[in-house]
Amino acid sequence: MSLAVLYSRALSGMQAPLVTVETHIANGLPSFTIVGLPETEVKESKDRVRAALQNAQFKIPAQRITINLAPADLPKESGRFDLPIALGILAATGQIPMDKLDQYEWAGELALTGELRPIRGALAMTYSASQSGRSFVLPQQNAPEAALVKKATVYAAQSLLQICAHLSGHEPLEIYNKTPSANTDDMASDYPDMQDIKGQLGAKRALEIAAAGAHSVLMVGPPGTGKSMLAARFPGLLPPMTEPEALESAAIQSLSQGQFNIANWKRRPYRSPHHTASGVALVGGGSHPRPGEISLAMHGVLFLDELAEFDRKVLEVLREPLESGHITISRAARQAEFPAQFQLIAAMNPCSCGYLGHPNGKCRCTPDQIARYRGKISGPLLDRIDIQIEVPAVPQEELMRQSLTGEKSSAVRQRVAQAHQRQLNRQNKTNNRLSVKEIDQLCTLNTACKDLLKQAINRLSLSARAYHRILKVARTIADLSGTETISNQHIAEAIQYRRLDKN
């Protein structure tokens, strides 16, 4: 009778709780049992492990094999437990030494040949392993993303035989320490340039303010006025990602896709789901909760084109994460929380035909039809969008101009970065994340500004939330101008970005 103990990790939302893999070999009829709340893919592990051990020329004992994945009340899913199960059998039968096993944590899916296949969530598991002080051994394909955790000791292997040779001391694995280098200037130049868009100076100004203060934006205008083009160029205006932001964004990508693309390191995500997307696709879910589009856009941009064409119930799920910056997904057996600090950029037509206010006069929509169409966006959701602007049709003269006269994205990005840094120096967060108490402290107004705001509240029937969002936007406008005091001009411009409140 022999017992071997190894360590691995499960996934529960953004967390990677420790799993102890206990392997017990006892006399009795040959059997292979896995206990500890395993899902189907974990139960199938015994067939993959058996074939991998045989093809690697190891002996499988004709005895009773019991694998316990503790704690027993934590659901175990995916094939990441193949590797620790196989090593547990080899250690319990004396085919590899047991003395070094407790220094490592293990994860990897086995092919029938004994090769290691990549797993999902390697970044989250590596971070948790580094906190425990143990090294982490995983498939070669997952090593680049695991190495993003600077305090972690990562070993990458291509096969079960490589790991056994490492444990036996014949061919030790080298620590994987190849970390990617990111040139933020090169990344920003990968995005289309704002100079490509003719006209639309008002919309460009609004997007500059949004980029500086991490504000959400709704653009309303007829088809063909450049709303989608503006949104596609918006990520090129954003300040560079910090190391913690990049790591958090990469961890979420790893949870969803199984392997983070290292080429996207420190590149702000840009997600643009189709208007037929479901609520689960946006916020995440499933029997084993996975992140949705709002979490995959973490520290990046979520662009919702044709906003009014989304199902109203789907749009309502955005209300909580827009306010709190996270989303909690509850299921009968499990609960998971994912971060959702994304920047919403939305676009919609002014009416069902799309041509309300267009110079061609094609719109024949009645006031009731217009109200019904715009009513698809609920008041509470609209209230949470900081900047609401109209994007009118571009005049023919401007459209047919051969030369590009607008500012380049690089020039706007410099101003945005400076304003962003002012906010970090002052309050260590963007203006969009200011609490009510912080707004009162940092957005003090003189008498003229207060009078102007009172008039806007009365005329537009603004809510308390809209009032606070005007102050946040005004604070960002002041930061862009390089002043610490909010002036009448800043308040007036911020009020202009609440035009849709009066419709």
Side-chain angles (χ1 to χ4, degrees):
M1 182 175 68
S2 300
L3 178 67
V5 178
L6 291 89
Y7 300 104
S8 186
R9 294 277 167 180
L11 287 176
S12 178
M14 288 289 291
Q15 306 301 315
L18 181 69
V19 173
T20 303
V21 182
E22 302 170 336
T23 304
H24 183 243
I25 309 293
N27 294 327
L29 293 175
S31 63
F32 196 144
T33 307
I34 300 177
V35 298
L37 210 57
E39 298 290 340
T40 302
E41 55 265 43
V42 181
K43 292 178 181 178
E44 293 172 347
S45 176
K46 59 185 178 182
D47 296 315
R48 292 191 297 271
V49 168
R50 189 186 299 275
L53 291 177
Q54 288 176 340
N55 288 321
Q57 305 302 311
F58 288 109
K59 294 180 181 179
I60 300 177
Q63 294 173 284
R64 185 173 181 177
I65 304 173
T66 304
I67 308 294
N68 179 39
L69 305 177
D73 59 346
L74 177 69
K76 321 296 188 309
E77 46 87 25
S78 98
R80 72 176 68 91
F81 299 107
D82 290 2
L83 178 59
I85 289 173
L87 293 175
I89 293 174
L90 294 177
T93 55
Q95 299 180 71
I96 60 172
M98 195 182 296
D99 55 335
K100 298 180 181 179
L101 293 179
D102 60 351
Q103 301 174 17
Y104 303 93
E105 293 186 13
W106 316 84
E109 181 181 330
L110 284 173
L112 301 187
T113 59
E115 300 293 313
L116 288 176
R117 288 176 172 159
I119 55 174
R120 181 174 64 88
L123 200 54
M125 289 188 287
T126 306
Y127 178 78
S128 297
S130 69
Q131 299 296 102
S132 70
R134 286 184 284 265
S135 303
F136 197 61
V137 184
L138 75 174
Q140 182 76 39
Q141 295 95 318
N142 291 118
E145 63 175 288
L148 296 176
V149 184
K150 291 186 175 180
K151 295 182 180 179
T153 304
V154 176
Y155 291 93
Q158 295 181 342
S159 67
L160 178 63
L161 284 173
Q162 269 192 337
I163 294 175
C164 293
H166 170 76
L167 292 172
S168 301
H170 299 311
E171 294 182 21
L173 294 170
E174 293 184 359
I175 296 176
Y176 191 96
N177 54 13
K178 299 177 182 178
T179 55
S181 58
N183 189 322
T184 53
D185 291 335
D186 290 345
M187 288 183 181
S189 63
D190 290 341
Y191 294 106
D193 201 291
M194 193 66 79
Q195 192 182 38
D196 299 338
I197 300 175
K198 298 178 180 178
Q200 303 300 2
L201 297 180
K204 291 177 181 178
R205 168 66 175 171
L207 290 181
E208 178 181 342
I209 296 168
H215 301 290
S216 51
V217 180
L218 172 61
M219 297 181 285
V220 180
T225 56
K227 301 186 296 295
S228 298
M229 290 180 67
L230 287 163
R233 285 151 179 79
F234 181 75
L237 307 181
L238 298 175
M241 293 182 84
T242 63
E243 195 83 16
E245 286 177 342
L247 195 59
E248 195 170 20
S249 177
I252 297 175
Q253 300 289 334
S254 174
L255 288 173
S256 175
Q257 301 170 357
Q259 186 178 356
F260 172 68
N261 185 354
I262 205 68
N264 293 330
W265 174 242
K266 287 196 172 181
R267 182 185 178 93
R268 293 192 182 273
Y270 179 80
R271 309 289 300 187
S272 180
H274 193 260
H275 63 259
T276 55
S278 65
V280 172
L282 277 187
V283 302
S287 55
H288 299 287
R290 294 195 183 186
E293 292 290 341
I294 62 173
S295 296
L296 294 174
M298 182 70 179
H299 299 305
V301 178
L302 177 68
F303 176 49
L304 299 183
D305 199 7
E306 305 295 345
L307 187 67
E309 300 302 327
F310 281 81
D311 186 272
R312 180 163 178 153
K313 293 181 179 178
V314 172
L315 292 180
E316 292 306 296
V317 303
L318 295 173
R319 286 162 56 177
E320 178 196 341
L322 273 174
E323 200 77 20
S324 64
H326 66 269
I327 183 71
T328 301
I329 301 170
S330 298
R331 296 293 179 262
R334 301 185 69 176
Q335 186 180 69
E337 183 175 297
F338 295 105
Q341 293 183 23
F342 62 97
Q343 203 161 345
L344 175 65
I345 306 294
M348 62 178 286
N349 294 328
C351 62
S352 54
C353 78
Y355 289 98
L356 178 66
H358 197 281
N360 61 19
K362 290 170 60 176
C363 180
R364 295 293 182 269
C365 296
T366 64
D368 285 345
Q369 289 175 323
I370 296 170
R372 194 158 47 246
Y373 180 80
R374 295 197 175 188
K376 293 180 180 180
I377 315 300
S378 71
L381 176 60
L382 197 62
D383 214 25
R384 286 169 167 82
I385 299 178
D386 299 345
I387 298 175
Q388 305 159 14
I389 57 172
E390 296 179 1
V391 185
V394 181
Q396 290 183 0
E397 298 79 11
E398 183 68 32
L399 191 62
M400 299 180 71
R401 190 192 302 270
Q402 295 296 321
S403 59
L404 298 175
T405 57
E407 270 192 305
K408 290 187 175 182
S409 293
S410 57
V412 180
R413 187 167 59 251
Q414 288 181 0
R415 293 197 298 270
V416 166
Q418 292 171 359
H420 180 74
Q421 192 58 49
R422 288 191 188 98
Q423 296 165 44
L424 297 183
N425 294 340
R426 183 177 57 238
Q427 71 242 7
N428 200 32
K429 63 174 74 171
T430 58
N431 289 333
N432 184 50
R433 295 293 169 191
L434 292 175
S435 65
V436 174
K437 183 177 180 181
E438 290 170 330
I439 291 173
D440 292 338
Q441 294 173 348
L442 302 174
C443 302
T444 55
L445 305 177
N446 57 32
T447 304
C449 290
K450 290 179 180 178
D451 291 340
L452 184 59
L453 258 180
K454 286 179 183 178
Q455 294 179 27
I457 291 172
N458 292 330
R459 290 185 180 182
L460 302 179
S461 300
L462 297 177
S463 66
R465 181 183 288 112
Y467 164 75
H468 287 126
R469 290 186 182 273
I470 286 176
L471 290 178
K472 292 179 186 180
V473 173
R475 176 69 268 170
T476 301
I477 296 171
D479 289 334
L480 279 169
S481 65
T483 62
E484 285 299 320
T485 305
I486 298 177
S487 69
N488 236 23
Q489 183 181 355
H490 302 147
I491 289 290
E493 185 176 0
I495 292 172
Q496 289 299 307
Y497 296 133
R498 304 296 303 190
R499 289 180 180 176
L500 298 184
D501 285 327
K502 64 184 179 182
N503 293 334

